[in-house]
Short mmCIF file of all heavy atoms in Angstrom, two decimals:
data_model
loop_
_atom_site.label_atom_id
_atom_site.label_comp_id
_atom_site.label_asym_id
_atom_site.label_seq_id
_atom_site.Cartn_x
_atom_site.Cartn_y
_atom_site.Cartn_z
N ALA A 91 -32.66 7.50 11.51
CA ALA A 91 -33.62 7.06 10.49
C ALA A 91 -34.00 8.29 9.67
O ALA A 91 -34.56 9.26 10.21
CB ALA A 91 -34.85 6.42 11.12
N ALA A 92 -33.70 8.27 8.36
CA ALA A 92 -33.96 9.41 7.50
C ALA A 92 -34.91 8.98 6.38
O ALA A 92 -34.68 8.03 5.67
CB ALA A 92 -32.62 9.92 6.88
N TYR A 93 -36.02 9.72 6.31
CA TYR A 93 -37.02 9.40 5.29
C TYR A 93 -36.67 10.11 4.00
O TYR A 93 -36.34 11.31 3.98
CB TYR A 93 -38.39 9.82 5.76
CG TYR A 93 -39.46 9.74 4.68
CD1 TYR A 93 -39.85 8.52 4.14
CD2 TYR A 93 -40.09 10.90 4.21
CE1 TYR A 93 -40.81 8.44 3.15
CE2 TYR A 93 -41.06 10.84 3.22
CZ TYR A 93 -41.41 9.60 2.69
OH TYR A 93 -42.38 9.53 1.70
N ILE A 94 -36.72 9.36 2.89
CA ILE A 94 -36.47 9.91 1.54
C ILE A 94 -37.74 9.71 0.73
O ILE A 94 -38.14 8.56 0.45
CB ILE A 94 -35.27 9.23 0.86
CG1 ILE A 94 -34.00 9.40 1.69
CG2 ILE A 94 -35.07 9.80 -0.54
CD1 ILE A 94 -32.79 8.68 1.11
N SER A 95 -38.38 10.81 0.39
CA SER A 95 -39.63 10.71 -0.37
C SER A 95 -39.36 10.31 -1.81
O SER A 95 -38.24 10.42 -2.30
CB SER A 95 -40.33 12.08 -0.34
OG SER A 95 -39.57 13.02 -1.08
N PRO A 96 -40.36 9.81 -2.53
CA PRO A 96 -40.17 9.43 -3.94
C PRO A 96 -39.67 10.59 -4.79
O PRO A 96 -38.80 10.41 -5.66
CB PRO A 96 -41.58 8.98 -4.36
CG PRO A 96 -42.21 8.50 -3.11
CD PRO A 96 -41.71 9.40 -2.04
N ASP A 97 -40.18 11.80 -4.55
CA ASP A 97 -39.72 12.97 -5.33
C ASP A 97 -38.24 13.25 -5.03
O ASP A 97 -37.48 13.58 -5.93
CB ASP A 97 -40.58 14.17 -5.00
CG ASP A 97 -42.01 14.03 -5.52
OD1 ASP A 97 -42.22 13.20 -6.43
OD2 ASP A 97 -42.91 14.69 -4.96
N GLN A 98 -37.87 13.19 -3.76
CA GLN A 98 -36.48 13.44 -3.39
C GLN A 98 -35.55 12.37 -3.96
O GLN A 98 -34.47 12.67 -4.44
CB GLN A 98 -36.37 13.48 -1.87
CG GLN A 98 -34.94 13.84 -1.37
CD GLN A 98 -34.86 13.86 0.14
OE1 GLN A 98 -35.87 13.72 0.82
NE2 GLN A 98 -33.64 14.03 0.67
N GLY A 99 -36.03 11.12 -3.96
CA GLY A 99 -35.24 10.03 -4.53
C GLY A 99 -35.01 10.21 -6.03
O GLY A 99 -33.94 9.96 -6.55
N LEU A 100 -36.08 10.69 -6.74
CA LEU A 100 -35.98 10.90 -8.17
C LEU A 100 -35.01 12.07 -8.45
O LEU A 100 -34.22 12.02 -9.43
CB LEU A 100 -37.35 11.19 -8.75
CG LEU A 100 -37.44 11.26 -10.26
CD1 LEU A 100 -37.16 9.92 -10.89
CD2 LEU A 100 -38.84 11.75 -10.71
N LEU A 101 -35.05 13.08 -7.63
CA LEU A 101 -34.14 14.23 -7.79
C LEU A 101 -32.69 13.79 -7.60
O LEU A 101 -31.79 14.19 -8.38
CB LEU A 101 -34.49 15.33 -6.78
CG LEU A 101 -33.62 16.57 -6.81
CD1 LEU A 101 -33.69 17.25 -8.18
CD2 LEU A 101 -34.01 17.52 -5.70
N GLU A 102 -32.43 12.94 -6.61
CA GLU A 102 -31.06 12.44 -6.39
C GLU A 102 -30.62 11.56 -7.52
O GLU A 102 -29.44 11.57 -7.91
CB GLU A 102 -30.99 11.67 -5.05
CG GLU A 102 -31.18 12.57 -3.83
CD GLU A 102 -31.13 11.76 -2.53
OE1 GLU A 102 -30.96 10.51 -2.61
OE2 GLU A 102 -31.27 12.36 -1.46
N LEU A 103 -31.55 10.78 -8.10
CA LEU A 103 -31.22 9.95 -9.23
C LEU A 103 -30.85 10.79 -10.48
O LEU A 103 -29.95 10.42 -11.24
CB LEU A 103 -32.40 9.03 -9.58
CG LEU A 103 -32.15 7.94 -10.63
CD1 LEU A 103 -31.07 6.97 -10.13
CD2 LEU A 103 -33.43 7.15 -10.91
N ARG A 104 -31.55 11.92 -10.66
CA ARG A 104 -31.22 12.81 -11.78
C ARG A 104 -29.80 13.38 -11.66
O ARG A 104 -29.15 13.64 -12.69
CB ARG A 104 -32.22 13.96 -11.82
CG ARG A 104 -33.61 13.61 -12.35
CD ARG A 104 -34.47 14.84 -12.41
NE ARG A 104 -35.78 14.56 -12.93
CZ ARG A 104 -36.10 14.55 -14.21
NH1 ARG A 104 -35.16 14.81 -15.13
NH2 ARG A 104 -37.33 14.28 -14.61
N GLN A 105 -29.35 13.56 -10.45
CA GLN A 105 -28.02 14.19 -10.22
C GLN A 105 -26.87 13.21 -10.47
O GLN A 105 -25.73 13.63 -10.55
CB GLN A 105 -27.94 14.71 -8.79
CG GLN A 105 -28.90 15.86 -8.51
CD GLN A 105 -28.91 16.29 -7.07
OE1 GLN A 105 -28.34 15.62 -6.21
NE2 GLN A 105 -29.62 17.38 -6.78
N ILE A 106 -27.19 11.93 -10.58
CA ILE A 106 -26.13 10.96 -10.88
C ILE A 106 -25.84 10.99 -12.37
O ILE A 106 -26.74 11.00 -13.19
CB ILE A 106 -26.59 9.50 -10.48
CG1 ILE A 106 -26.88 9.47 -8.97
CG2 ILE A 106 -25.53 8.49 -10.87
CD1 ILE A 106 -27.39 8.10 -8.51
N GLN A 107 -24.55 11.05 -12.68
CA GLN A 107 -24.13 11.21 -14.06
C GLN A 107 -24.63 10.06 -14.93
O GLN A 107 -24.49 8.90 -14.64
CB GLN A 107 -22.59 11.28 -14.13
CG GLN A 107 -22.05 11.56 -15.52
CD GLN A 107 -20.56 11.74 -15.53
OE1 GLN A 107 -19.92 11.59 -14.50
NE2 GLN A 107 -19.98 12.06 -16.65
N GLY A 108 -25.30 10.39 -16.05
CA GLY A 108 -25.78 9.40 -17.00
C GLY A 108 -27.21 8.98 -16.78
O GLY A 108 -27.77 8.28 -17.61
N PHE A 109 -27.84 9.40 -15.66
CA PHE A 109 -29.22 9.01 -15.36
C PHE A 109 -30.24 10.09 -15.72
O PHE A 109 -31.42 9.81 -15.70
CB PHE A 109 -29.37 8.61 -13.90
CG PHE A 109 -28.86 7.24 -13.58
CD1 PHE A 109 -27.55 7.01 -13.28
CD2 PHE A 109 -29.71 6.13 -13.59
CE1 PHE A 109 -27.05 5.75 -12.99
CE2 PHE A 109 -29.24 4.86 -13.33
CZ PHE A 109 -27.92 4.69 -13.02
N ASP A 110 -29.80 11.28 -15.96
CA ASP A 110 -30.76 12.35 -16.21
C ASP A 110 -31.62 12.10 -17.43
O ASP A 110 -32.84 12.29 -17.37
CB ASP A 110 -29.96 13.68 -16.36
CG ASP A 110 -30.92 14.89 -16.43
OD1 ASP A 110 -31.97 14.79 -15.80
OD2 ASP A 110 -30.56 15.88 -17.08
#
Side-chain angles (χ1 to χ4, degrees):
Y93 171 66
I94 301 177
S95 66
D97 292 338
Q98 184 180 353
L100 189 64
L101 179 60
E102 292 179 359
L103 188 62
R104 286 182 179 274
Q105 294 174 351
I106 299 177
Q107 185 174 2
F109 281 87
D110 187 30

